[in-house]
Amino acid sequence: MTASSALLSCAGRPVGRYTYLPAAGGRPYFHPVTTLAGVPVTEERPADHLHHLGTSIAVPDVAGHNFWGGRTFVRGQGPTALDNHGIQRHLGWKLCDSDGFVEELSWVADDAELLREHRTVAVAELSDTAWALDFSFSLTNRGTDDLSIGSPATNGRPGAGYGGFFWRAPKELAAPAVFSGTGDGEEAVHGRIADWVAMTGDGWTLVFAGATDETRRDPWFVRTTQYPGVGSSLAAAERLPVPAGATVVRRVITVIADGRLDRETAAAYVRRAVTA
């Protein structure tokens, strides 16, 4: 551990570095994350989207403020460069160890706190070739005014309901395959509700699972051809209200495995990870 990062390990091997430099895109993030064999499964600041930072909680619209990075989608105008970016400030650790941490953060814009976050991350070994990253976050509106969370979709861009837990995977020569328990391909899984979604690349598989009823009700945001990324959408079609004093809680467990998993094996890992 250092003043600006934490290193997670599993089965005696380093598997993820967590960085919270204030200048690092305005939010803490995991990169690199690797399989147990050392294959990298995240990407940081890729040329196609410089604001994509490995694994993070990124939200493009919190009461009109951008906690995603890049341009803001404005209804009737399209993607627009605005001076509306917020920062997720690391306030401190409640717990920090090699197998996980508990962190407090403040979501700040224009010198005002919009949300206070309680973040919990834990690592679990699933087999000799797979481990799980358990990522939960609670967003509390501690102010006196109601606010809401939105996305480009809620601001007029169809299909762009991203915002929340987001994982940017490595871009390889071939686009990754993606599937759920019932469908195959980006069109079959993007924007749909599913207990889990898997993405497989060159020597790796990621399986994303909602670990609470509320999280499982959020549609998945999935990209494979434009870039490889998977997210759980807080505001896929409608803005998510966060009244004064209210808390939004979500939990996503990601299985990180060596090799290409089939549907049956992916489902088995999810059952084991979610019930662990």
Side-chain angles (χ1 to χ4, degrees):
M1 311 297 172
T2 70
S4 60
S5 66
L7 186 64
L8 296 186
S9 62
C10 183
R13 312 171 201 180
V15 292
R17 178 175 292 279
Y18 185 72
T19 301
Y20 57 93
L21 290 171
R27 65 182 183 274
Y29 63 98
F30 276 104
H31 178 78
V33 177
T34 69
T35 68
L36 289 177
V39 178
V41 291
T42 54
E43 194 159 359
E44 175 190 39
R45 301 185 187 279
D48 54 70
H49 289 79
L50 293 175
H51 51 279
H52 284 185
L53 300 172
T55 303
S56 67
I57 305 301
V59 178
D61 182 347
V62 179
H65 298 278
N66 185 337
F67 289 85
W68 176 274
R71 295 176 294 174
T72 298
F73 190 87
V74 178
R75 187 180 295 273
Q77 188 171 323
T80 306
L82 298 177
D83 184 19
N84 67 336
H85 290 248
I87 295 176
Q88 297 171 14
R89 289 180 179 166
H90 169 83
L91 298 180
W93 305 113
K94 297 293 184 180
L95 172 71
C96 190
D97 209 338
S98 61
D99 61 354
F101 58 79
V102 179
E103 181 187 20
E104 296 291 325
L105 303 104
S106 179
W107 291 43
V108 177
D110 293 337
D111 296 321
E113 181 179 75
L114 300 180
L115 297 167
R116 179 67 61 91
E117 180 185 352
H118 182 82
R119 181 174 297 185
T120 301
V121 171
V123 166
E125 183 180 0
L126 299 177
S127 72
D128 291 340
T129 57
W131 64 282
L133 182 69
D134 188 338
F135 199 131
S136 65
F137 60 98
S138 303
L139 301 173
T140 300
N141 179 357
R142 306 206 318 176
T144 56
D145 297 326
D146 297 346
L147 59 81
S148 64
I149 291 171
S151 68
T154 65
N155 293 332
R157 184 182 176 189
Y162 53 82
F165 175 88
F166 181 73
W167 191 298
R168 173 58 196 253
K171 195 168 190 176
E172 301 171 336
L173 291 178
V178 66
F179 58 91
S180 66
T182 57
D184 293 275
E186 181 178 326
E187 186 175 347
V189 297
H190 171 69
R192 301 178 186 271
I193 294 171
D195 286 350
W196 58 267
V197 167
M199 175 174 280
T200 65
D202 186 10
W204 53 268
T205 300
L206 301 170
V207 190
F208 305 92
T212 67
D213 289 340
E214 289 174 320
T215 310
R216 284 188 286 270
R217 286 193 288 268
D218 290 337
W220 295 100
F221 176 86
V222 180
R223 290 288 184 264
T224 57
T225 52
Q226 182 183 3
Y227 63 83
V230 176
S232 180
S233 301
L234 290 173
E238 298 179 352
R239 298 189 69 88
L240 175 66
V242 191
T247 299
V248 171
V249 181
R250 296 294 189 271
R251 180 184 175 200
V252 176
I253 297 178
T254 307
V255 176
I256 299 100
D258 285 292
R260 288 180 175 266
L261 302 185
D262 58 23
R263 180 175 280 109
E264 181 179 353
T265 306
Y269 270 129
V270 167
R271 289 193 295 270
R272 181 173 179 182
V274 172
T275 58

